[in-house]
Amino acid sequence: MSLENRIKDIWFGNSCWKYPLLPLSALYAAVTSVRRFLYRRNILKSYRSSIPVIVVGNIMVGGNGKTPVVVGIADYFRKNGFRVAVVSRGYKAHPPAYPYEVTAESPAEHSGDEPKLILKRTGAAVIIDPVRSRAAALAEKQADVIITDDGLQHYALKRDVEIIVMDGIRRTGNGHLFPAGPLREGEWRLKCADYLINNGGEPRDGEVPMKLEVDGVLPVDETLSPLPDGAEIIALAGIGSPARFYDTLSGMGYRIVRKVEIGDHEKADISLLLQAEKDYPLVMTEKDFVKYAGCGLKNSYYVPVSADLPENFYGELLSKVKRLSAGK
């Protein structure tokens, strides 16, 4: 069994290998508890922005669908007259300096994949910095509201609204903190958020239902013909839950003959992709696409997705932020 599958078995199965890791989880819990206490007591300082801050995050390691939610909220607020800035850590990004404002010309190596995707989909200002409070200080000069992509545990930035996105199928796994389980914070944290979004599962009381809607299969080169129904393909998914992407493609009728296995946010060797697409069409996530745009791919496609959320969720969130803006 591979290391990745072993971890999944520990976190989401009944593996007994979690027990030797429980002392490390207890240490992790102690460290994070002390850190939260220091912020609550104002011993460690938090930055309070002059404009409302919405945090979109999760308590579980890995991807749970946060970025489509950020895109959906940013798009909704912009359509309702708000100037929006999105703040991100910029995981795997290597900009020349921080804070770094992403532009359409920014190389993916500078911006990271998710910030580049958010800019492409929303047109909002996108600023990356591991110190999100520093990014927020820059963002508030050009926006009416700040949305942070992840950052629920980044207590150095005060927030006005917390939104937790949960994988509705896996939920909290075995319920243990890292490394014995997949949790960054305990399940108690779910009760603290303003909104708990259930991505793809049966929502429980008080949870906001969400589904990821596929927006088609688009060619990376606009001169390329549409991908035929039922085509044999090679699939690429550098995301936290690649199995979900593979299931989506299979559900659309495509036959996956090969998978390009890379880690979350990782980038494959472009020469390997150029060779692969000579055999079969290469289909990737939109998050992957932003990393390979302009690399000369000719027989490749990407699959954009959107968060399908209730209209009353957006309306209530907008009203809340308007009240916060008036109060500030």
Side-chain angles (χ1 to χ4, degrees):
M1 182 183 292
S2 68
L3 177 60
E4 182 179 355
N5 288 334
R6 175 73 69 186
I7 292 172
K8 289 180 179 178
D9 189 42
I10 294 171
W11 287 359
F12 304 107
N14 296 312
S15 173
C16 62
W17 284 101
K18 67 183 178 183
Y19 295 111
L21 297 173
L22 288 175
L24 293 176
S25 294
L27 177 61
Y28 180 88
V31 171
T32 55
S33 295
V34 169
R35 181 171 171 271
R36 282 192 299 269
F37 173 81
L38 293 175
Y39 276 112
R40 281 200 308 270
R41 293 293 183 177
N42 208 31
I43 297 170
L44 291 178
K45 303 299 181 182
S46 295
Y47 180 76
R48 169 67 73 183
S49 177
S50 60
I51 60 176
V53 174
I54 303 170
V55 169
V56 180
N58 63 29
I59 64 168
M60 192 165 76
V61 176
N64 286 345
K66 298 183 305 296
T67 300
V69 173
V70 170
V71 168
I73 293 172
D75 191 50
Y76 186 85
F77 272 72
R78 292 194 80 214
K79 288 177 179 176
N80 280 274
F82 275 73
R83 295 177 303 158
V84 177
V86 176
V87 166
S88 171
R89 173 189 173 189
Y91 185 66
K92 296 281 186 178
H94 301 285
Y98 289 112
Y100 179 79
E101 184 163 358
V102 181
T103 69
E105 290 73 36
S106 296
E109 290 76 14
H110 287 177
S111 66
D113 47 19
E114 288 174 348
K116 186 87 172 186
L117 169 59
I118 292 167
L119 176 72
K120 173 178 174 287
R121 291 291 295 268
T122 69
V126 180
I127 301 171
I128 62 173
D129 197 324
V131 183
R132 290 179 179 86
S133 53
R134 188 167 56 192
L138 175 60
E140 66 189 20
K141 297 177 181 178
Q142 54 185 299
D144 304 310
V145 62
I146 293 170
I147 305 170
T148 75
D149 182 21
D150 210 354
L152 187 69
Q153 290 78 32
H154 190 82
Y155 293 109
L157 176 62
K158 292 187 181 295
R159 64 290 310 269
D160 299 286
V161 181
E162 286 188 337
I163 300 172
I164 293 178
V165 184
M166 171 189 286
D167 184 318
I169 304 298
R170 299 186 299 176
R171 296 194 69 87
T172 56
N174 63 15
H176 292 296
L177 293 179
F178 181 85
L183 301 185
R184 301 170 177 177
E185 294 183 285
E187 294 176 328
W188 60 268
R189 191 67 173 82
L190 300 175
K191 300 176 182 178
C192 303
D194 297 274
Y195 300 96
L196 177 56
I197 294 178
N198 181 312
N199 177 18
E202 188 66 31
R204 299 177 183 176
D205 288 346
E207 296 180 354
V208 179
M210 167 185 155
K211 292 182 179 179
L212 289 176
E213 295 290 341
V214 175
D215 298 330
V217 180
L218 306 180
V220 300
D221 183 339
E222 294 181 357
T223 65
L224 193 63
S225 300
L227 189 62
D229 294 340
E232 294 184 328
I233 63 171
I234 297 173
L236 166 65
I239 57 177
S241 301
R244 179 174 287 176
F245 180 65
Y246 302 147
D247 289 344
T248 296
L249 294 177
S250 297
M252 296 170 69
Y254 298 112
R255 290 178 289 168
I256 301 174
V257 298
R258 197 188 316 161
K259 299 170 183 174
V260 179
E261 300 286 355
I262 58 174
D264 191 15
H265 299 278
E266 296 293 338
K267 186 176 181 179
D269 187 327
I270 186 63
S271 63
L272 295 179
L273 302 187
L274 290 169
Q275 183 62 44
E277 67 169 9
K278 292 179 181 178
D279 300 327
Y280 298 96
L282 177 66
V283 183
M284 65 188 72
T285 70
E286 187 176 19
K287 192 172 85 168
D288 288 297
F289 164 64
V290 299
K291 291 183 287 193
Y292 305 111
C295 291
L297 293 171
K298 295 295 184 183
N299 188 28
S300 294
Y301 300 78
Y302 68 98
V303 183
V305 296
S306 298
D308 181 8
L309 286 158
E311 183 65 27
N312 63 348
F313 161 76
Y314 285 121
E316 183 181 322
L317 180 60
L318 181 66
S319 297
K320 186 188 291 282
V321 170
K322 285 181 176 179
R323 291 194 301 269
L324 289 167
S325 298
K328 286 178 180 274

